[in-house]
Amino acid sequence: MNWEPWTGCYKASDGCTNCYFYGPHAKRYGQNMIEKTDKFDWPVRKNTKGEYHIKGNKILATCFATDFFLPEADEWRKEVWTMIKERRDIDFLILTKRIDRFLVSLPTDWGEGYDNVNIGCTVENQELADYRLPLFLSYPIKRRFIACAPLLEAIDLTPHLHGVDHVTVGGETGRDVRVCDCDWVLQLREQCAKANVTFWFKNTGSLFKRDGVVEKINPFKQTSVAKELGIDISDGKRLF
Ligand code: SF4
């Protein structure tokens, strides 16, 4: 399930170049207009019987269509942390390209982190991996994953995998996108296997290079083509 407490975003780094906020959907999604959605308080909303609308024992992925750590959301994020604390029966999955703003608006009782929060740090190239991941690993977070998406070049994650549970990799989707090379994906898989970290190749992107040949992959097939490679490393637990 997805929960978007606010909408709108703008570029944080190179991986954002072909984000839908910059593509044909820019107007529809309101690029640069950061606004609360009507689902802002969804996790704690109750029906007339006093029961939560969202039942427990779920994974709720939040801010996959905006960024949880946008400066414009600093005040709203305080309220969201309170909701997350109230719903200890839900696992919240938060993916960000702004991990360097993690400490802003963090609750005073955060301590070593809430058990039900799983934070994903996106890195799309080596420079960003070397900037964001040491920060990511220095923060008090109980559950961490890395998302190399869109993967724009070969990345060595080896120095940054200690304390990370999982790595997700994906290519870029759209018209004028950059190529995702299967060799880069396999190298990341190898690094994860050595570090005993689970790995999921979630999609090939629109241009996927294999054995020196670049293939154009239909958006509806990008997940299945990635899966057919059979390179995922799972520990049997569900992350998404
Ligand atoms: S941070 Fe995410 S949602 Fe925001 S512009 Fe970049 S890719 Fe798009």
Side-chain angles (χ1 to χ4, degrees):
M1 275 174 113
N2 274 33
W3 169 47
E4 301 295 328
W6 47 84
T7 179
C9 201
Y10 50 88
K11 189 171 175 171
S13 56
D14 201 18
C16 301
T17 303
N18 290 305
C19 170
Y20 40 67
F21 285 112
Y22 291 91
H25 301 304
K27 274 196 186 141
R28 179 173 152 204
Y29 288 98
Q31 179 198 347
N32 290 338
M33 273 175 44
I34 319 296
E35 290 174 323
K36 275 188 187 180
T37 65
D38 57 3
K39 286 204 163 173
F40 180 77
D41 63 347
W42 196 41
V44 294
R45 230 180 260 171
K46 292 180 177 170
N47 62 21
T48 46
K49 289 185 200 158
E51 298 159 342
Y52 288 119
H53 278 289
I54 308 179
K55 304 288 177 235
N57 296 319
K58 281 200 173 50
I59 297 172
L60 206 54
T62 187
C63 291
F64 273 53
T66 176
D67 198 308
F68 192 75
F69 294 99
L70 279 172
E72 290 78 359
D74 284 352
E75 285 306 307
W76 304 335
R77 202 161 52 253
K78 290 178 190 167
E79 292 176 68
V80 167
W81 282 130
T82 305
M83 294 182 225
I84 288 174
K85 187 179 164 193
E86 180 176 327
R87 294 305 308 269
R88 298 282 171 139
D89 54 340
I90 293 177
D91 276 343
F92 290 86
L93 208 68
I94 299 168
L95 185 64
T96 183
K97 282 192 170 64
R98 292 173 172 84
I99 196 66
D100 51 0
R101 306 200 71 259
F102 173 78
L103 296 174
V104 181
S105 305
L106 203 62
T108 50
D109 67 354
W110 177 259
E112 290 306 305
Y114 294 164
D115 291 338
N116 61 333
V117 175
N118 195 346
I119 306 243
C121 178
T122 298
V123 296
E124 54 266 43
N125 57 33
Q126 188 70 52
E127 188 184 346
L128 288 167
D130 293 339
Y131 168 64
R132 288 181 184 153
L133 295 177
L135 288 171
F136 183 43
L137 294 170
S138 75
Y139 298 140
I141 298 170
K142 287 208 172 141
R143 297 160 64 193
R144 295 186 177 88
F145 69 100
I146 296 172
C148 298
L151 182 62
L152 300 178
E153 64 181 24
I155 303 179
D156 183 9
L157 290 180
T158 312
H160 311 296
L161 286 174
H162 184 69
V164 170
D165 304 317
H166 174 81
V167 171
T168 294
V169 175
E172 193 169 43
T173 300
R175 270 193 209 153
D176 301 313
V177 296
R178 293 155 285 186
V179 171
C180 175
D181 192 321
C182 191
D183 287 346
W184 307 339
V185 179
L186 293 173
Q187 285 162 21
L188 285 168
R189 185 203 189 264
E190 187 65 22
Q191 294 158 27
C192 290
K194 279 191 184 142
N196 206 18
V197 169
T198 58
F199 175 86
W200 179 34
F201 183 33
K202 74 181 171 70
N203 74 307
T204 59
S206 299
L207 294 178
F208 188 50
K209 187 173 177 184
R210 255 190 295 188
D211 302 326
V213 179
V214 177
E215 280 175 70
K216 211 171 177 178
I217 315 260
N218 179 306
F220 298 105
K221 293 195 174 159
Q222 291 171 17
T223 306
S224 56
V225 173
K227 196 173 177 189
E228 278 160 21
L229 288 178
I231 58 172
D232 295 343
I233 305 172
S234 164
D235 62 0
K237 287 187 212 144
R238 194 177 141 226
L239 183 74
F240 293 96

